[in-house]
Amino acid sequence: MKNRHGGFTLVEVAVAGTVLMLLTLAAAQGFLICNSLMNRSSRFQRQEQELKLHAVREEMPEDSRKVKLSAGSLGQWSVIIDTYEMDDGEVKVSLKALRALSNEE
Amino acid sequence: MKEGRGQRGSTLGWVVITMMVLLIFLMAALTVTSSVVVRNQKNHQKTQAELTVNSLAQAFVKDINKRDGIRQVMERAVLEGVDAIALEGMDSDMGEVSLHISYEQEAQRLYILITAALGGVREQMTVVVKCRIEDDVEEAAYRTNGEKQEAVWEVLDFQEEEERLR
């Protein structure tokens, strides 16, 4: 069955329409992914800045553990590694800092 | 030839052009997003490397006058003529940490260049310490109020990027 004006069959129009719709959906999905990634990136940056401040001010870390750093045959040095973490469900940021042992530790 | 709406295939042509433009926009958006994500990753590595170097320098300064630990490592390195020390035992996501040391006997200055390398990022800081390191430990000790004391090491300076040791 030929269309009198465009010269396409109904099947051709249906296939072209479906392909067009799928391409449009894929493009929309692509833009949504870009948008979501940009949002996550900006949240990541904000959280990272906040965590850096926590670490610099030596605020209470999420985790602390004592480690022995080895300098080979020259000896060892005991320090604390503090882990600062921030997790809002979607974006998780973590920074680590060294700290000298206090007398109690 | 007559141009316009009635031309055969013109609708398809417009649709194809629209899709191409849409695809170009999408590719541009994906490129920008990808570069933002990569830049974020690099920034995070830089922040962690900075934090590693700064916190290590601070811990170093706090422990510099303790009998063992980093001070002992420094003394042995100077006496044995070692100028590069790799510190092992650090978490891998804190970067690889190395210390390059240089001791000026006459000026009694110890220059310690702390380097943290994480991914493609390198952060450095130099700590300058006034100290006296000698073969004979007894020589390095002195008496105060009748009691023998370890010679006190004094931190003179923190410098980000020290050219003389590179």
Side-chain angles (χ1 to χ4, degrees):
Chain A
M1 189 171 65
K2 288 274 180 187
N3 181 315
R4 277 183 296 165
H5 298 291
F8 295 108
T9 64
L10 190 61
V11 175
E12 283 171 341
V13 171
V15 169
T18 310
V19 170
L20 198 64
M21 206 171 68
L22 285 175
L23 280 174
T24 313
L25 281 175
Q29 186 76 19
F31 282 117
L32 277 178
I33 290 171
C34 286
N35 187 37
S36 148
L37 280 174
M38 292 296 267
N39 279 341
R40 282 170 69 109
S41 285
S42 61
R43 281 225 302 274
F44 184 89
Q45 268 181 323
R46 272 201 308 273
Q47 291 188 3
E48 190 187 48
Q49 287 305 314
E50 211 175 312
L51 267 188
K52 193 179 171 184
L53 275 180
H54 286 209
V56 169
R57 291 176 188 155
E58 293 191 3
E59 290 175 7
M60 184 66 83
E62 272 62 45
D63 180 51
S64 287
R65 63 197 168 80
K66 186 177 169 183
V67 291
K68 275 190 177 175
L69 302 181
S70 166
S73 61
L74 299 172
Q76 288 184 328
W77 180 27
S78 294
V79 289
I80 303 277
I81 291 181
D82 289 332
T83 305
Y84 296 87
E85 269 181 357
M86 208 172 263
D87 187 358
D88 68 359
E90 278 187 57
V91 181
K92 185 177 177 184
V93 192
S94 143
L95 286 173
K96 291 181 178 177
L98 281 181
R99 183 163 51 89
L101 285 174
S102 62
N103 290 335
E104 303 89 65
E105 288 162 323
Chain B
M1 194 169 68
K2 194 180 168 187
E3 298 279 333
R5 284 172 168 244
Q7 193 183 2
R8 283 191 171 191
S10 68
T11 310
L12 186 63
W14 279 113
V15 167
V16 169
I17 289 170
T18 311
M19 290 310 297
M20 293 293 280
V21 171
L22 200 63
L23 275 178
I24 289 169
F25 275 119
L26 183 61
M27 291 305 287
L30 280 172
T31 309
V32 170
T33 309
S34 144
S35 70
V36 167
V37 169
V38 169
R39 200 184 59 209
N40 249 9
Q41 180 83 12
K42 283 265 173 212
N43 278 348
H44 183 61
Q45 287 177 338
K46 186 174 163 52
T47 306
Q48 178 58 69
E50 273 175 8
L51 199 56
T52 302
V53 164
N54 289 339
S55 60
L56 189 106
Q58 282 175 13
F60 178 88
V61 168
K62 278 186 185 165
D63 277 358
I64 198 77
N65 279 309
K66 286 187 183 166
R67 184 178 289 274
D68 50 7
I70 194 65
R71 174 164 171 160
Q72 193 181 51
V73 171
M74 290 294 119
E75 281 173 343
R76 283 187 184 164
V78 170
L79 295 175
E80 291 176 20
V82 177
D83 58 1
I85 304 166
L87 274 186
E88 288 165 10
M90 203 95 75
D91 290 357
S92 59
D93 51 0
M94 293 181 81
E96 284 179 17
V97 176
S98 59
L99 309 174
H100 288 83
I101 60 173
S102 158
Y103 181 60
E104 288 177 358
Q105 182 86 40
E106 283 179 17
Q108 296 186 352
R109 296 280 191 280
L110 180 62
Y111 296 86
I112 304 125
L113 176 67
I114 304 167
T115 305
L118 182 59
V121 180
R122 258 161 66 103
E123 286 296 325
Q124 294 183 314
M125 178 176 265
T126 300
V127 182
V128 185
V129 180
K130 184 175 191 292
C131 60
R132 197 169 138 199
I133 300 173
E134 288 168 9
D135 282 328
D136 188 353
V137 179
E138 291 295 317
E139 284 277 318
Y142 59 89
R143 288 175 183 280
T144 311
N145 299 329
E147 286 184 9
K148 194 184 284 181
Q149 288 192 337
E150 284 283 319
V152 175
W153 287 16
E154 183 188 351
V155 177
L156 298 177
D157 200 6
F158 280 97
Q159 297 162 8
E160 293 192 16
E161 313 271 340
E162 174 60 54
E163 294 297 329
R164 67 184 285 287
L165 287 171
R166 279 187 179 175

